[in-house]
């Protein structure tokens, strides 16, 4: 529009003696702003409104240009209509005229259509270099016909052949174009897309990142879903851990069968058979609970694996603690006039195990009610794959479960150390001391290994700690007894057990 008005003003033929002006307003897509602009136009932007026939004293408004279909233009027409000010709409875009032999027209956006002369430096017959019009460029013509050349063109060094541009190779998908510094726009390099980004078309100027759960292929021209990783039963590592878990459970069951078959022998009766069977039952559960850590995490498996592990281990340590206290009480009871065993008989032993286990059940229940573990997709450890794992929900709940197990283990270890030098050939406190030493060593080394292990190896470390501590307990406490029962039955006598060294 500005171009058209300036052309009209510069012409002495179109509107001789008349100069057109213009004022541009932005309605900001608001009817109220558009109407305020219409009032200003009607009044000529004078500070006061005039009441005679011509409101504007600073200039006569000839017309208003606007879009015919908009609510802003309709509001403007209601205001400027009574002042006989015409409103020119989209028809203005259809204006087409010639000026000085050049066509003047407008495109759909109201912009003037480009028209350029093509000029060429040529040497005349007299040797003078001059500009010669060899054609034109008209953007209003159909695509492919915008250039029209009607004279020969002289190229560099008076060559008549059209020079051929050395064309850069196309940048294939997976790369992007980077212009070479200080060189023309046709000179560029093809740079591979950075990690995690792709370009899926030729000569792309940018690379685009894949969604969070997708990753580029090797060519970096397409995004594919990231592989999901977890400790699956199909993996060799999981099969080995599962095999040791089943072997441990079978070993505990076989030990229980041996103890039950020889339950009337002195060595079984001297080891508090009731706590021994309960300890073997809890060890079986400890071995089997490690299987819940293998496989794809689900809402139920995440809650089961940590709570089952915590409760079964506390049950196990409570039984060991009960056996240790029984050893101490038994030797105290041999002193003259001592009736200490009546204060820690079988009912008290059962209550001790139930009490300590109930505390762990309470901790796990609070954990599950407030912030239970849940399955989650870990997208941060590895960029190219998703780790499916169980989030703790509440780290405080997890470490409270482990801390309580550790507290009972340390307490049991201290009591076992105090009882290890008590007399008699068979002193169970020595074996309990070794088992608790192994248990504490495993779980002390577990903490840094658990924190530093990435992805599915975190689960493998936890399973290994469960199995190692369980095997330590069953081998240290029950292996010597089974050895005597099966291979040295002559030592399975009251006389041998009571022989003091």
């Amino acid at each position: 529009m500005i171009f058209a008005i300036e052309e009209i003003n510069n012409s002495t033929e179109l509107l001789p003696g008349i100069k057109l002006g213009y004022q541009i307003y932005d309605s900001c897509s608001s009817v109220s702003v558009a109407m305020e602009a219409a009032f200003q136009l009607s009044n000529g932007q004078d500070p006061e409104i005039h009441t005679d026939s011509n409101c504007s004293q600073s200039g006569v408004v000839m017309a208003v240009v606007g879009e015919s279909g908009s609510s802003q233009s309709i509001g403007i027409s209601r205001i400027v209509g009574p002042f006989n000010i015409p409103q020119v709409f989209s028809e203005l875009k259809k204006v087409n005229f010639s000026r000085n032999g050049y066509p003047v027209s407008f495109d759909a956006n109201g912009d003037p259509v480009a028209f350029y002369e093509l000029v060429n430096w040529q040497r005349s017959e007299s040797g003078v270099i001059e500009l010669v019009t060899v054609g034109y460029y008209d953007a209003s013509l159909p695509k492919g016909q915008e250039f029209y050349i009607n004279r020969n063109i002289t190229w560099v060094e008076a060559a008549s052949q059209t020079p051929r541009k050395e064309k850069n190779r196309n940048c294939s998908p997976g790369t992007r174009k980077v212009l070479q510094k200080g060189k023309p726009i046709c000179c560029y390099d093809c740079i591979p897309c950075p990690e995690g980004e792709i370009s899926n078309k030729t000569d792309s100027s940018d690379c685009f990142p894949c969604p969070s759960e997708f990753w580029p292929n090797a060519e970096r021209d397409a995004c594919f879903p990231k592989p999901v990783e977890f400790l699956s039963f199909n993996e060799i590592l999981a099969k080995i851990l599962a095999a040791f878990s089943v072997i441990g459970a079978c070993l505990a069951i076989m030990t229980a069968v041996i103890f039950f078959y020889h339950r009337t022998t002195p060595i079984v009766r001297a080891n508090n058979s009731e706590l021994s069977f309960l300890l073997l039952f809890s060890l079986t559960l400890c071995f089997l609970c490690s299987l819940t850590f293998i496989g794809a995490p689900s809402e139920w498996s995440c809650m089961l694996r940590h709570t089952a592990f915590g409760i079964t281990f506390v049950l196990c340590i409570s039984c060991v603690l009960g056996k240790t206290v029984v050893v101490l009480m038994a030797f105290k009871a041999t002193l003259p006039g001592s009736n200490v065993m009546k204060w820690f008989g079988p009912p008290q032993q059962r209550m001790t195990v139930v009490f300590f286990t109930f505390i762990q059940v309470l901790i796990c229940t609070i954990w599950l009610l407030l912030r239970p573990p849940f399955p989650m997709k870990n997208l941060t450890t590895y960029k190219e794959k998703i780790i499916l794992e169980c989030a703790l929900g509440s780290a405080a709940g997890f470490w409270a479960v482990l801390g309580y197990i550790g507290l009972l283990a340390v307490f049991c270890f201290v009591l076992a150390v105090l009882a290890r030098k008590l007399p008699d050939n068979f002193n169970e406190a020595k074996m309990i001391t070794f088992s608790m030493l192994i248990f504490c060593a495993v779980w002390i080394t577990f903490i840094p290994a658990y924190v530093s292990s990435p992805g599915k190896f975190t689960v493998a470390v936890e399973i290994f700690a469960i199995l190692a501590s369980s095997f330590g307990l069953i081998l240290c406490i029950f292996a010597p007894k089974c050895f005597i029962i099966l291979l040295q039955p002559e030592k399975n006598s009251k006389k041998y057990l009571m022989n003091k060294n």
Side-chain angles (χ1 to χ4, degrees):
M1 186 183 74
I2 297 174
F3 172 79
I5 291 175
E6 290 177 348
E7 287 294 315
I8 293 173
N9 289 338
N10 293 332
S11 173
T12 58
E13 299 177 359
L14 294 177
L15 294 174
I18 298 177
K19 294 289 184 181
L20 297 180
Y22 56 85
Q23 188 74 32
I24 298 176
Y25 293 90
D26 186 0
S27 66
C28 302
S29 301
S30 172
V31 176
S32 60
V33 174
M35 296 182 71
E36 182 180 352
F39 280 116
Q40 291 178 357
L41 279 174
S42 302
N43 195 41
Q45 293 188 338
D46 287 344
E48 61 181 41
I49 296 177
H50 302 276
T51 57
D52 55 359
S53 60
N54 183 13
C55 294
S56 176
Q57 301 300 311
S58 58
V60 178
V61 178
M62 299 301 298
V64 175
V65 179
E67 183 60 41
S68 60
S70 67
S71 56
Q72 292 89 343
S73 296
I74 295 173
I76 291 173
S77 65
R78 298 286 177 85
I79 295 173
V80 301
F83 299 100
N84 296 322
I85 300 175
Q87 190 166 359
V88 183
F89 298 116
S90 54
E91 295 299 323
L92 186 63
K93 298 177 184 177
K94 302 178 182 178
V95 172
N96 192 342
F97 60 92
S98 296
R99 176 65 181 160
N100 296 332
Y102 298 106
V104 177
S105 60
F106 304 95
D107 60 16
N109 297 323
D111 299 320
V113 177
F115 185 90
Y116 304 103
E117 285 186 343
L118 303 179
V119 296
N120 180 227
W121 290 99
Q122 295 186 4
R123 189 184 298 274
S124 65
E125 294 180 356
S126 60
V128 178
I129 301 297
E130 58 185 12
L131 284 175
V132 177
T133 301
V134 295
Y136 60 85
Y137 171 83
D138 189 353
S140 64
L141 295 177
K143 187 175 182 179
Q145 302 178 15
E146 298 94 337
F147 284 98
Y148 178 76
I149 299 176
N150 52 17
R151 295 188 60 173
N152 292 330
I153 298 176
T154 302
W155 302 103
V156 179
E157 298 178 354
S160 58
Q161 294 269 338
T162 304
R164 293 185 177 273
K165 177 176 75 73
E166 184 179 349
K167 186 177 180 182
N168 273 11
R169 61 185 177 89
N170 291 331
C171 289
S172 61
T175 62
R176 63 186 180 93
K177 291 168 56 176
V178 176
L179 298 179
Q180 297 178 359
K181 187 176 181 180
K183 293 187 178 181
I185 194 171
C186 60
C187 299
Y188 54 84
D189 295 320
C190 297
I191 306 298
C193 289
E195 187 181 52
E197 297 185 3
I198 66 161
S199 64
N200 54 8
K201 60 182 181 180
T202 305
D203 289 337
S204 176
S205 57
D206 290 302
C207 296
F208 305 96
C210 291
S212 59
E213 296 188 13
F214 289 78
W215 192 253
N217 56 359
E219 294 76 21
R220 298 186 180 179
D221 58 0
C223 292
F224 290 93
K226 293 180 181 179
V228 178
E229 184 179 85
F230 56 89
L231 190 61
S232 170
F233 280 100
N234 297 324
E235 299 183 34
I236 296 178
L237 177 61
K239 290 178 180 179
I240 294 173
L241 294 173
F244 275 101
S245 175
V246 174
I247 290 171
C250 292
L251 189 61
I253 294 172
M254 289 171 59
T255 304
V257 171
I258 293 172
F259 266 54
F260 182 78
Y261 186 77
H262 298 86
R263 63 186 180 278
T264 58
T265 60
I267 197 169
V268 176
R269 296 181 65 184
N271 279 274
N272 195 328
S273 58
E274 184 175 344
L275 283 181
S276 295
F277 285 119
L278 186 58
L279 177 56
L280 288 169
F281 172 73
S282 63
L283 281 172
T284 305
L285 295 180
C286 288
F287 282 115
L288 294 178
C289 80
S290 60
L291 296 176
T292 63
F293 289 81
I294 305 175
S298 64
E299 186 175 352
W300 284 104
S301 68
C302 286
M303 291 189 292
L304 177 63
R305 62 175 58 173
H306 290 102
T307 53
F309 149 72
I311 294 171
T312 54
F313 259 85
V314 165
L315 177 61
C316 180
I317 301 299
S318 299
C319 293
V320 176
L321 182 60
K323 291 172 73 68
T324 308
V325 174
V326 167
V327 172
L328 283 172
M329 295 299 110
F331 281 97
K332 290 288 185 182
T334 60
L335 298 177
S338 176
N339 59 351
V340 70
M341 279 306 293
K342 77 174 185 179
W343 299 107
F344 200 73
Q348 288 78 17
Q349 296 168 22
R350 298 189 200 102
M351 288 300 298
T352 301
V353 173
V354 171
F355 173 74
F356 285 126
T357 307
F358 175 75
I359 294 176
Q360 184 74 305
V361 172
L362 187 62
I363 295 173
C364 292
T365 302
I366 295 173
W367 181 16
L368 294 180
L369 289 177
L370 296 181
R371 293 178 62 187
F374 59 91
M376 66 166 288
K377 294 179 179 179
N378 185 345
L379 304 174
T380 58
T381 303
Y382 297 102
K383 295 180 180 179
E384 69 281 2
K385 57 186 175 181
I386 300 173
I387 304 298
L388 195 59
E389 61 186 13
C390 285
L392 295 177
S394 171
F398 175 72
W399 293 111
V401 169
L402 279 187
Y404 182 65
I405 295 174
L407 181 65
L408 288 182
V410 171
F411 183 47
C412 186
F413 176 72
V414 171
L415 292 180
V417 169
L418 294 176
R420 77 187 189 282
K421 292 185 178 180
L422 294 174
D424 282 2
N425 262 337
F426 185 77
N427 182 3
E428 197 175 19
K430 296 177 183 178
M431 297 298 102
I432 293 176
T433 302
F434 283 117
S435 66
M436 285 297 101
L437 191 61
I438 295 173
F439 185 91
C440 293
V442 168
W443 287 101
I444 288 173
T445 56
F446 159 78
I447 294 174
Y450 179 84
V451 173
S452 60
S453 298
K456 63 181 179 182
F457 297 105
T458 304
V459 179
V461 167
E462 194 166 358
I463 295 174
F464 176 80
I466 294 172
L467 295 178
S469 55
S470 300
F471 274 111
L473 288 171
I474 194 170
L475 292 178
C476 288
I477 296 176
F478 292 100
K481 303 180 182 65
C482 291
F483 181 78
I484 292 175
I485 292 172
L486 298 177
L487 301 179
Q488 294 180 338
E490 69 276 4
K491 293 183 180 181
N492 191 3
S493 63
K494 185 175 181 180
K495 180 180 177 180
Y496 176 79
L497 295 178
M498 297 300 294
N499 185 26
K500 298 184 178 181
N501 280 324

